[in-house]
Amino acid sequence: MRNLAILTFLTLDGVMQAPSMPEEDQSGGFDQGGWAAPYWEGVMEQVQREAMATPYDMLFGRKTYEAFAGHWPKADPNPISDMMNAARKYVVSNTFKDLSWRNSHLISGDVPRAIGKLKEQNGPLLQVHGSGNLIQTLLRHNLVDEFRLWIFPVVAGGGKRLFEPGGPARTLELVKSEPGSDGVVMNIYRRQ
């Protein structure tokens, strides 16, 4: 049995949409993309230490997979790119077929059931990066064991949120919290 962890960057008002670049995800008229970019240097060192230092598998929605697959296979070799390229990648989509990034596998059909079966297998932690729509499915079906959240001192005012209104209530245990020098705070929560 293995756990599934959400890794995401959030604004103070809970927005997770388009942290990296202005054009990353403009759906719903979102025009605040790139809100996390000024903080990358300090945050990425912490992300590497806390989330990418031990082996893991990744679980993606189609859009996030396309963004990662367009970057990481071409990235200069370094500890992060080496681990990401070597990791097994699961892509949730009913339409996408281009799984050219090494070690990629398609999940379609009954997604909650398929992910439940993945969790029953032996293997490393399943990490979900980005993938807002997929996260909503995972939350609705109680498949998330851990939340690794980097909370930025930014208010976006609108956009896709990690916890959408009407989602299931839950209680989490804070297992680690670490502020960065730039005002970003990492919080790791586990399901109780």
Side-chain angles (χ1 to χ4, degrees), residues 6-128:
I6 302 290
L7 281 75
T8 197
F9 300 145
L10 294 174
T11 63
L12 283 174
D13 55 342
V15 173
M16 63 178 289
Q17 186 171 357
S20 300
M21 301 170 289
E23 66 280 0
E24 183 178 352
D25 178 2
Q26 297 174 328
S27 63
F30 188 68
D31 63 359
Q32 299 298 314
W35 51 265
Y39 303 90
W40 276 156
E41 190 172 318
V43 169
M44 294 315 288
E45 180 261 313
Q46 191 180 52
V47 169
Q48 181 179 0
R49 184 181 72 247
E50 293 295 331
M52 305 184 125
T54 59
Y56 53 87
D57 288 348
M58 293 183 285
L59 181 60
F60 293 108
R62 178 190 55 83
K63 290 178 186 176
T64 303
Y65 175 82
E66 287 178 316
F68 277 55
H71 173 76
W72 290 108
K74 301 174 208 159
D76 291 334
N78 63 61
I80 292 178
S81 64
D82 293 347
M83 285 189 76
M84 290 190 97
N85 288 321
R88 179 166 282 147
K89 290 151 283 276
Y90 297 97
V91 184
V92 175
S93 178
N94 287 317
T95 58
F96 189 63
K97 303 293 183 224
D98 179 18
L99 299 176
S100 57
W101 192 8
R102 183 178 58 176
N103 296 327
S104 294
H105 307 274
L106 184 65
I107 295 177
S108 60
D110 186 346
V111 170
R113 184 171 183 264
I115 293 172
K117 286 186 178 270
L118 273 178
K119 288 182 62 174
E120 290 172 4
Q121 297 173 359
N122 288 326
L125 179 71
L126 285 166
Q127 293 186 1
V128 180

